[in-house]
Amino acid sequence: MLRSPRGLVAFLTALLVTGAATGALAVPVAPTASDGTLKVRTGRLVEVGPTAEHGFPAWYRDSNGVRLEACTTLDDPLCATLPDEVPDPDAPVSYPDNFPGEFFYQLAGAAVAGPGVDMTVGMDLEGAWAAEEVVEGDQMVFGRIRIRDKSIADGEYRVTHPYGVDQFVVAGDGINYTQDIGTTPGAFGQALASRIGPFLRWDPAVAPAAPAGYVGDPGVEHEVVGSPYGTNYVAVERRDGDVWTELARTTAFSIQGRLATNAGVDVQRATYTVGADGTGFVDVYATSDAGQSLHVRDAGLGFIETGLEGDRGVYYGRFATTSAPDGRSVTVANTSDTPVAQKQAPLVDVVTIHAAEYDADSDVLTVSASSSDQDSSPGRLSVLGEPLVDGQVRISTVAPTATVTVTSDKGGSATAPVVARGAGMQADQPVAAAFANPMDAAPGQRVTLTGTGSTGTISTWTWRQVPATVTEDVEVTLPDGTTGTQPSTVEVPVTDANRVTLAGADTSVATFNALAGVEGPLAFELVVSGPAGTSEPVVVTVTVVAPDPTQPAPTPTADAGADQAVRRGATVALDGSRSALVDTYAWTQVSGPSVTLTGAGSARPTFVMPLMALPTSTTGTNPSYATSATPVVLRLTVTGQGGQQVTDEVTVAPAPETLAIGAAEYRAGSEWRVSGTSTILAGQRVAVVLGSALTGRVLGFTNVDAVGAWSFRGAGGVAPGTQSTVSAVSAMGGSRLAFTFRRR
């Protein structure tokens, strides 16, 4: 298994990009296709997640939607840090006293050998410390390309790998090249600009499949996908004159990466408002993935641990406090994460700017503001270095800033735009811009004319149909007396035959239906007006294409997408964008467990695949309980020209889960011990049931961990009687019946 070597040299801390090539001049070059054209990069890293308690991002996401978390533990062989990277490898990883010196989100490498070639290539997204010591604030994440072949002969070489091409001129000591991008501590977004991304993962078309929850098994070499250039291999070429000769190639990679299951949490702001008596409210604003459980933990402010309300990844809570919050902090925990992610944020006052006005006639900027801290020691405010007295300050200046920021000694601040008044101010001159969709329309098709790209101060929008101009070849007599053709501009007037009815002609977006039986160009003019005048007209042309009389009239087509198998609890993305000639979309559920569609009137709505209900009775049997794998069936209805409607259906089935029981034991008078595994690593709930069927008494519940294992201990007072087996069922739909337990 290929691993990146330990540590970084200290000078990386000052560099954004570091490239080192001992004995070889290295030049990254643009990949080219077989015909010599440059390949366009088709993916990259696109998003960095919230920072976790250790100060590194909880995850990185690529343009394919793959999200990988940090491999910082020692107990997961598929996503582990090296034992020698932590001070005490026999103790659990903890921050900061027993935390690795380096770790990886992606650890990928390949070894390639051939005539005169013995090369390793590493392509990693790595977390490390600026000075190789665990020091808060020194966290950095960088994308690394490392190429080594210290014994390769002198010459010019080209190495193609999933993230591009590197050329080397070797003149002694072989190749020892490293390029790191993103080595500024705390600037975690810099890694998005590295050559790493999208993440590599095992090719799903090549058996075996990657372990559930991982991009691959680092101990097993495998073919991969994910290269943004389609170069899912490593090839080494040598240049002889003008000819490049391939010496070695491999498609076998060792890759490590764990799909992120934790969302993390970020606290955007935590503020307080108190009156003269020192009591008031605390307001907390946080973000995470949608559907998380965020709580504010007790901070000695007079309220107990309380959940935040969330909407599409944004969370908020307001809590009454009877203790003075000045100088205190709150802790926000994401209890959906395992382990629980939490962030601490200082409480600051809320600064409200009531006015920020600039009088251009007197050259005076006036700012008035207040603090939400109004107790015996209220917040003192200042702006542009000047204190506010009784909530106001007047500053003489001939050039005010566009915004002003008022700060408080209690930690709060607010920024507001400056509102100017006085003589000589003018509105912006309107400038019209227009486009049509579609540019080529079928008879009867709805066309949208959009002028929202117009600029300036606009009061009115005016669309009107105008004569269109086309260029045609006309026959002419040439100077030598022969006959030929030359282009000529011809005007197509607006007549009763081709005149259309514009809806919304006085708005920024107008529509019309192309007339049946009328072909050719239609031109539309947009003029926008405002206080500063009227724009020059702009014209957009739509061509109506005559139908083929031998073919039936075009009708819309509905395509609800391919049937899917999706893990329960996951977000399902539907895709009706392959439908054609569509004016409107409407999705409805036909059958299956009830779901809530988000964006039911769009081409791409989403819903959450329902979990399977578990048996609940722990005091008696569950005679009516039964598992179900019923799929969710949805219907897409599209409406096209003239109100024509067609439908298509898609079936979304729950992804299968294999739930196994590996051991079961009843210790008389003590407890039950039942353990097993699942093929889906999602933290799902498992019910352990007494007997050979799932209708028996529930002994208790447990959860699947990050490596697919689960273990239940408890219900010591429940004797098995004549039963000799236990069963289990998961919220993901898997079950295992009639496993014989041991008695002790």
Side-chain angles (χ1 to χ4, degrees), residues 87-104:
D88 184 0
D90 296 322
V93 170
S94 61
Y95 179 79
D97 55 312
N98 200 43
F99 197 79
E102 66 175 14
F103 60 89
F104 300 90

Side-chain angles (χ1 to χ4, degrees), residues 247-295:
L247 303 178
R249 174 184 288 251
T250 185
T251 58
F253 291 78
S254 168
I255 59 172
Q256 172 183 290
R258 182 168 59 207
L259 301 178
T261 57
N262 287 353
V265 60
D266 267 341
V267 181
Q268 307 303 110
R269 193 169 64 148
T271 64
Y272 67 90
T273 302
V274 294
D277 62 355
T279 65
F281 291 91
V282 167
D283 295 272
V284 179
Y285 306 82
T287 59
S288 184
D289 280 356
Q292 302 297 297
S293 178
L294 268 57
H295 290 250

Side-chain angles (χ1 to χ4, degrees), residues 45-60:
L45 301 181
V46 296
E47 186 180 6
V48 56
T51 54
E53 289 186 70
H54 46 57
F56 288 93
W59 45 262
Y60 278 82

